[in-house]
Amino acid sequence: MTKKALITGVTGQDGSYLSELLLEKGYEVHGIVRRTSTSNIERVAHLSTALRLHYGDVTEVSRLMLLLQQIQPDEVYHLASQSDVRASFDQPEFTGEVTGMGTTRILEAIRLVDLDCRVYQASSSEMFGASLPPQNESTPFWPRSPYAAAKTYAYWVARNYREAHGMFVANGIMFNHESPRRGMTFVTRKITHAVARIKAGYDRKLYLGNLDAVRDWGYAKEYVEAMWLMLQADKPSDYVVATGTAYTVRDFAEHAFGYVGLDWREFVRFDDRYLRPTEVDSLIGDPSKTAAELGWKSKVLMPELASLMVEEDLRIVNAQRAE
Ligand code: NAP
Ligand code: G4F
């Protein structure tokens, strides 16, 4: 029997890599797409003949119920979210609706249609916030943004549906993962895209906020494999997904500019618009449980990640120049 998967947030960075992975594994893959006035399917356009896309929104439970009833997925990957931490300070209520309540809606919809399926909840290392590293599955949560608070709520709702209703729901507590498909507002992609534009002579400066923040950056393409592994386990649980390595934003900029032979100090300038009312200073994950129970381990670390992202942004910028 062909397995069926439903992905919310299929048009995002992770949704696109996960779609590729599940299609490769022979799944019938369905995705929920928001209706927008301009196209939002660029990241999955190359999969359009294989992928089955449906309009929907995680703020509309009736639509979620109908789709679940029609598709009857074996696995649901709930990735949809307002995922920009800085933006969550400007839109806290909206972030709560989508990132927090969205999880309740998808779980309640599954329960109401009485569907026997496995669910992945996209939890985040942002939940650890001000708790000191290294962070693992037992580290207390201390959310430092409306986004992190919404994800913490969603994490506990996922746990509660597991405990109260016996549903198979796994929380992937993922640390920052990046790729050439990363949204342009996140610091890594903002840097690599700027490096390519500066190298091509289009821009002269890059404005950033806190360069001292420490992150544990991994490669998104590898992280979606951990999502799938969580839903193949014998029982549902919560897993930290990380590389266990630590770099500052400054380190990332140094590597990205250095890759094209530039000195970051000549181009990066400070802009306080990119500071946050409350910052998360240091996230460094301890993925030992995930390695021991799921056999997952990251391979690509920050220097290689920065290089491959710059490489792809150089290709994009040069292709635009040729047009
Ligand atoms: P992303 O690129 O921002 O993608 C988010 C997805 O959610 C997009 O497909 C977006 O649609 C969709 N979406 C937003 N609001 C929606 C709504 N109301 N209804 C339906 N879909 C909606 O995020 P990502 O990096 O792939 O991350 C995937 C998930 O993992 C998110 O939940 C994120 O918070 C979480 N996470 C990410 C990281 C990371 O480092 N990347 C780490 C931990 C957790 P549009 O394309 O139309 O905007
Ligand atoms: O790239 P960022 O915006 O990612 P952040 O806030 O760590 O959140 C990402 O990872 C989370 C997992 O830990 C996800 F849950 C979340 O959805 C998202 O994918 O910022 C990283 C760091 C921050 O400390 C920020 O203050 O970079 C610092 N930074 C410095 N200058 C900047 C900038 N961030 C952005 N976005 N833009 C800047 O100019």
Side-chain angles (χ1 to χ4, degrees), residues 8-16 32-36 40-41 43 56-59 78-84 94 98-99 120-126 147 151 172-178 181-183 186 220 227:
T8 72
V10 72
T11 56
Q13 171 188 256
D14 292 3
S16 66
I32 295 181
V33 182
R34 296 195 281 182
R35 194 272 157 187
T36 48
N40 59 353
I41 60 161
R43 291 185 180 106
D57 195 296
V58 297
T59 57
H78 177 48
L79 311 183
S81 135
Q82 189 306 89
S83 72
D84 185 318
F94 172 76
V98 174
T99 303
Y120 173 82
Q121 162 59 19
S123 286
S124 167
S125 55
E126 277 290 307
Y147 168 81
K151 280 288 183 192
I173 308 173
M174 298 224 163
F175 283 63
N176 299 50
H177 45 281
E178 321 291 312
R181 299 182 193 172
R182 188 58 146 148
F186 299 98
M227 296 179 186

Side-chain angles (χ1 to χ4, degrees), residues 81-86 123-126 147 151 174-178 182 185-188 190 207-211 213-215 217 249 274-276 279-280 283:
S81 135
Q82 189 306 89
S83 72
D84 185 318
V85 174
R86 178 66 194 81
S123 286
S124 167
S125 55
E126 277 290 307
Y147 168 81
K151 280 288 183 192
M174 298 224 163
F175 283 63
N176 299 50
H177 45 281
E178 321 291 312
R182 188 58 146 148
T185 62
F186 299 98
V187 77
T188 54
K190 184 176 166 181
Y207 293 89
L208 296 175
N210 178 16
L211 300 182
V214 173
R215 290 292 184 274
W217 282 296
V249 173
Y274 300 113
L275 295 180
R276 293 156 188 202
E279 175 63 292
V280 172
L283 294 174

Side-chain angles (χ1 to χ4, degrees), residues 102-224:
T103 300
T104 305
R105 289 195 194 92
I106 193 92
L107 290 170
E108 188 61 0
I110 291 167
R111 192 177 77 86
L112 290 176
V113 301
D114 203 16
L115 188 67
D116 181 16
C117 68
R118 296 183 166 205
V119 185
Y120 173 82
Q121 162 59 19
S123 286
S124 167
S125 55
E126 277 290 307
M127 301 187 303
F128 297 125
S131 277
L132 295 179
Q135 293 102 353
N136 66 21
E137 292 80 3
S138 308
T139 304
F141 297 141
W142 187 345
R144 297 269 286 171
S145 63
Y147 168 81
K151 280 288 183 192
T152 305
Y153 163 80
Y155 167 94
W156 283 113
V157 165
R159 291 270 306 247
N160 183 252
Y161 271 69
R162 192 157 86 205
E163 292 162 13
H165 305 299
M167 285 169 57
F168 190 114
V169 190
N171 275 297
I173 308 173
M174 298 224 163
F175 283 63
N176 299 50
H177 45 281
E178 321 291 312
S179 74
R181 299 182 193 172
R182 188 58 146 148
M184 292 286 184
T185 62
F186 299 98
V187 77
T188 54
R189 186 74 198 286
K190 184 176 166 181
I191 293 170
T192 61
H193 193 240
V195 165
R197 286 186 58 84
I198 288 170
K199 187 69 181 170
Y202 290 131
D203 291 333
R204 287 218 280 262
K205 292 283 176 268
L206 166 63
Y207 293 89
L208 296 175
N210 178 16
L211 300 182
D212 295 323
V214 173
R215 290 292 184 274
D216 177 337
W217 282 296
Y219 185 24
K221 196 173 173 164
E222 293 177 355
Y223 282 44
V224 300

